[in-house]
Amino acid sequence: MNVRPTTTAARRDRSGQTEATAAEADRLIESLQSPDTMENPYPTYAALRDLAPVHVTSEIAYLTRYDDCLGVIRNPALGAQSPAWMDSVRPGWRDHPGLRATHESFVFRDPPDHTRLRRPVSGEFSPSKVRRLHGYITEVTDHVLDLVAEAGADGSVVDLHEVLATTLPISVIGKMLGVPPEDHPMLREPLEGLRLAADGSTRADLPVIDRAGEALISYFAGLVAERRKTPRNDIVSALAAVRDSGDGGAGGPDDRVLTQDEMLQSLTLIFSAAIESMADLLLNGTAALIEFPAQAAALRADPKLTAGAVEETLRYDAPVQGIGRIPASDLNISGVVIPAGTFVLPLLGAGNRDPDRFPDPDTFDITRSGPAPLSLSGGVHFCLGAALARLEAAVFFPALTGRFPELALAGQPVRRGFALRGFASFPVVLR
């Protein structure tokens, strides 16, 4: 996670807190990076929400209430962590291929560039287009569960993370983009390396991130070259054709033109995000269904609860815990003035457990009603793959609970990530 350096204005404004309150809030923020708290950050979120729901440190403004988080992610006046902003907080970042592959993509751009870069692919992720993949996703899910059943048939421990990371998400997004299945294994390592760029990377991580960025950009450059010679019905071919022709359709001839770098960055972003975040969502939901067996039984008994199970997974343990925004002018949030240029961090995982919006927020309840979870962001930056993520989860969770009613943990799963929350391993047995 990139943060803004200490500023005098941010130092002066401690949100009207006493020194003791500010110090305790700072301690809670610092503890979020500890292994124990990363395992379960939600009690710390709750303590911070009670103590200082809008907490401005020397570097970041943290938000923990649902309404405050929602207001920020939907506010068009707040910018993303743009390349220009990165220049001010991380000089020299452009010298790193892995950081360029991430921070020059449309997720970190504002309109009009964000609109220009996202538009050529947005139609492919519309709900109507995604629904056409239902049969394929069902077929792949059945194959994945066959692999789990085979591996665990004799009582052996199965690492569900390892199975999912190499099968369902990469198969689905690979089919959409046009990445051949035989190429999937060699892309596993760079996918995991590039994840670090969006999840609190340190200087020590840069060599891994750079190798990952170079590998994925190079791979897609080769794939684009192939599709220019032999186009297919996939997103890579469509993007290559748009760039070659400069045909922007009704928006005008230049409306959708991408440079070669922009096209490769878009492909790298879509591919990596659709795999890493999707695996996190599926495993976070599986963990909740194991922790709350009555909810798994309810889903098994009534498939109509599937949509609720997906939304509750997004709320209960979001795969994306925080999204940064940058105000161009001073920002007032619930009476707290945040100086222009401050890194504002809505903690989506905290907002999703705000008791003012979700009664009994620490309970996983697939029959819950209420506002939509914050997990897919909002406004112009609403998750491009939202419909795809919901469909994959809607196929996977009922299939998993129906196929393995006695699924149980076979040890302590290993958590990974803060901004991107998931598992590095998830051992299960089929009792």
Side-chain angles (χ1 to χ4, degrees):
M1 176 176 58
N2 298 304
V3 298
R4 186 175 180 82
T6 301
T7 64
T8 302
R11 276 199 215 100
R12 286 199 304 265
D13 186 348
R14 295 293 281 178
S15 313
Q17 302 167 353
T18 66
E19 286 299 318
T21 297
E24 176 60 13
D26 286 346
R27 186 194 67 77
L28 290 170
I29 293 295
E30 185 176 358
S31 75
L32 288 173
Q33 302 295 333
S34 71
D36 288 344
T37 307
M38 288 177 70
E39 179 72 25
N40 180 15
Y42 298 106
T44 302
Y45 289 159
L48 185 61
R49 188 190 309 111
D50 291 342
L51 182 69
V54 181
H55 180 59
V56 184
T57 73
S58 61
E59 298 177 328
I60 304 175
Y62 294 89
L63 312 181
T64 48
R65 288 188 296 219
Y66 180 93
D67 289 350
D68 293 337
C69 292
L70 183 65
V72 164
I73 63 176
R74 286 186 173 178
N75 189 340
L78 273 68
Q81 297 162 252
S82 66
W85 180 81
M86 280 285 288
D87 288 338
S88 69
V89 302
R90 199 167 189 173
W93 70 275
R94 295 176 190 269
D95 297 331
H96 295 279
L99 297 183
R100 286 203 316 273
T102 304
H103 287 280
E104 289 182 348
S105 66
F106 61 78
V107 167
F108 295 96
R109 301 288 191 98
D110 296 313
D113 277 345
H114 174 271
T115 308
R116 177 178 61 83
L117 296 174
R118 177 165 163 152
R119 181 178 288 123
V121 295
S122 59
E124 299 299 321
F125 290 89
S126 67
S128 60
K129 280 285 188 75
V130 165
R131 279 194 295 270
R132 300 175 189 176
L133 291 167
H134 187 280
Y136 178 75
I137 293 172
T138 300
E139 177 185 325
V140 176
T141 297
D142 289 342
H143 172 66
V144 170
L145 298 184
D146 286 344
L147 294 176
V148 173
E150 181 180 350
D154 59 355
S156 297
V157 174
V158 180
D159 184 352
L160 195 56
H161 170 265
E162 182 66 20
V163 175
L164 284 175
T166 57
T167 53
L168 179 57
I170 196 170
S171 295
V172 174
I173 194 61
K175 180 178 180 62
M176 293 181 71
L177 291 180
V179 176
E182 59 268 24
D183 291 348
H184 294 176
M186 72 177 182
L187 298 172
R188 171 80 185 280
E189 184 176 347
L191 283 168
E192 293 193 343
L194 198 63
R195 176 192 178 99
L196 294 172
D199 197 21
S201 62
T202 65
R203 184 170 295 276
D205 296 320
L206 285 176
V208 175
I209 294 170
D210 284 345
R211 287 194 299 272
E214 288 177 326
L216 289 170
I217 291 291
S218 175
Y219 173 79
F220 280 110
L223 191 59
V224 166
E226 289 181 16
R227 292 296 185 269
R228 285 199 172 112
K229 296 176 182 177
T230 312
R232 299 183 185 179
N233 185 24
D234 56 41
I235 293 176
V236 170
S237 298
L239 280 185
V242 166
R243 180 172 185 272
D244 286 345
S245 67
D247 179 11
D254 297 324
D255 191 45
R256 290 174 54 180
V257 172
L258 309 181
T259 67
Q260 177 80 354
D261 284 346
E262 288 171 341
M263 178 174 56
L264 298 179
Q265 288 159 359
S266 291
L267 290 170
T268 296
L269 168 73
I270 293 168
F271 187 61
S272 59
I275 295 167
E276 291 296 306
S277 295
M278 194 67 231
D280 292 342
L281 174 62
L282 297 180
L283 287 173
N284 289 355
T286 300
L289 289 165
I290 291 174
E291 182 184 359
F292 295 88
Q295 298 300 300
L299 178 59
R300 204 158 39 243
D302 186 1
K304 293 179 181 178
L305 294 175
T306 296
V310 174
E311 295 307 297
E312 182 66 348
T313 294
L314 286 166
R315 182 202 71 84
Y316 183 75
D317 202 11
V320 177
Q321 292 280 301
I323 295 176
R325 293 288 183 265
I326 318 297
S329 57
D330 288 357
L331 183 67
N332 188 315
I333 299 181
S334 298
V336 178
V337 176
I338 299 172
T342 300
F343 186 98
V344 180
L345 182 61
L347 289 168
L348 307 184
N352 283 337
R353 296 216 189 180
D354 185 343
D356 287 343
R357 290 291 175 264
F358 303 101
D360 195 14
D362 295 326
T363 295
F364 182 77
D365 179 4
I366 66 175
T367 66
R368 185 186 297 277
S369 60
L374 301 163
S375 313
L376 299 172
S377 189
V380 298
H381 290 284
F382 184 71
C383 177
L384 175 70
L388 181 62
R390 286 183 166 120
L391 179 57
E392 286 188 54
V395 172
F396 180 79
F397 292 143
L400 178 75
T401 55
R403 182 79 172 268
F404 305 120
E406 299 294 325
L407 187 72
L409 292 176
Q412 183 65 33
V414 178
R415 279 283 183 184
R416 65 172 177 176
F418 168 59
L420 304 181
R421 179 169 168 80
F423 291 93
S425 70
F426 196 87
V428 296
V429 291
L430 314 179
R431 292 192 309 204

